[in-house]
Amino acid sequence: MNYLKVKSTICAILLLCGTASQAQQKKNKNVIAPGAEWKDTNKNRINAHGGGMLYENGVYYWYGEHKIPGRSEADKAGGGAHCYSSTDLYNWKDEGVVLSVDYDNPDSEVAFGCILERPKVVYNESTRKYMMYFKLYPKGMGYKYGYLGVATADSPTGPFTYSHKFLGADSDEGSGDFALVKDADGSLYHFTVRKPDKAFVVGKLNKEYTYPEGKYKVMTEIPAHTEAPAIFAKDGRYFMLGSGSTGWDPNTARAFVATSLLGPYKELGNPTKGVNPHNGMNEEKTFGGQSSYIIKVEGKKDAFIAMFDVWAPEHPFDGRYVWLPIEVESDTLKINWRDEWDLSVFGK
Ligand code: DGJ
C-alpha cells in the first residue's frame, strides 16, 4: 500500500469510528420518549406494564406486569411482577421477575393462568418489609372476583414471596384498579373501584399493611366507574388522576383535587392535551393510554411524572409506556404531550 492509500484508509476508519460513537451517544442520551420503544441497559425491551415506583437511597425501583412474549391477554400473558432499577429515571437495569406466577403448582393462588395486574410496592417501616400489592383474579374465573394479592420481601429487588389475598371494598366480588397511599402518619390507604357496582371507595389497612382495618368509605364525589387511580400530594393538596372504564380500550382521563387525602375531591376534568404521533391518539383517548402511577422526582421541587400504559391486549409484551411531566398550578393540573423531554423541564 502506498502512503496515500494508507492515509485515506486511516481517515475512513476514523470517520467510521466517529460516526459510530456519535450514534452511540445519540442512543445513550438521557431523554424520555413517550410512546416510543423503551429498552433497558441490556438493550432488551422493558417489560413492566401497569407499573408503580418505589424510591429508596437514591434508586428508583419500577415494578410492573411481566408479559410473556408471544402470548395474548386471552392466552395467559401474565408472568408475574418484573422489576427494573435506575438512579436517573432514564436508564433502567433489569432486576428480573421478582414475583413469578407458579408454573409448577396448579393449586397455587398465583398459579400460571391467574390474572396478576398493576403491582405496586410500599415499604412498611414498622415491620421492615417490602409489601407488594397487585390485582389478583384466580385462574379460570376471568375478572369475576377481584382480590388484592399481597407478597412480601426483605429487599426492594425481592424475591417477593406470595403471602395471601383479600377481596377488599367490603364486597363479595372484591375490587379492581387501585392506588395505595401512605399518609404522613404512616397509615396506608387502599383507593379502589368496588365490584360489581364500580363505586369508588377507600379503606385503611392495618398497621402491618396486610388486611383492611374497618369499613371502606364510598367516595360519592368520585364518579362510579373511575379506574386506574394515581394520587400525589403537593403543598397541602392531593391530586388524583384516573380513567373511565372501557376494558383495554383507552378513554378520556379525569383528574380531581382535595385538601385532605380522604376527600372530598373536586373534579378537574381532563388534564391531558396533545397527540401521540405513535398512534395518532389525542387527549380524548389519553394518547391511547391509561394511568398507572405518579412518580415524585426526588431532589427537584414540585416535580411529578404521570405514568400511562398503552395496552396491546393481542400482544401485551409490545404495550408501550407514556411518561409525561405534570404541571401543577394551584388547583389545576396539565399534562401536555411531548415527543421527547428530560428532567430539566422541572428546573434545577
Ligand atoms: C382496565 C384495567 O385498568 C387494566 O388493569 C385491566 O384490568 C383491563 N381493564 C382489563 O380489561
Side-chain angles (χ1 to χ4, degrees), residues 184-202:
D185 67 355
S187 304
L188 190 67
Y189 292 92
H190 178 209
F191 292 80
T192 189
V193 49
R194 184 171 71 188
K195 283 170 77 68
D197 66 345
K198 302 224 172 174
F200 198 80
V201 299
V202 59

Side-chain angles (χ1 to χ4, degrees), residues 117-118 135 143 177 198 225 227-228 243-251 289-290 309 311 313:
E117 289 178 346
R118 297 182 171 265
K135 289 167 68 186
Y143 283 97
D177 290 1
K198 302 224 172 174
H225 297 261
E227 284 189 347
S243 74
S245 177
T246 49
W248 296 112
D249 296 334
N251 53 58
Q290 191 181 24
D309 288 276
W311 303 115

Side-chain angles (χ1 to χ4, degrees), residues 259-277:
T259 49
S260 147
L261 175 60
L262 301 182
Y265 281 79
K266 187 179 96 188
E267 236 181 306
L268 296 176
N270 177 10
T272 63
K273 186 114 201 98
V275 180
N276 175 353

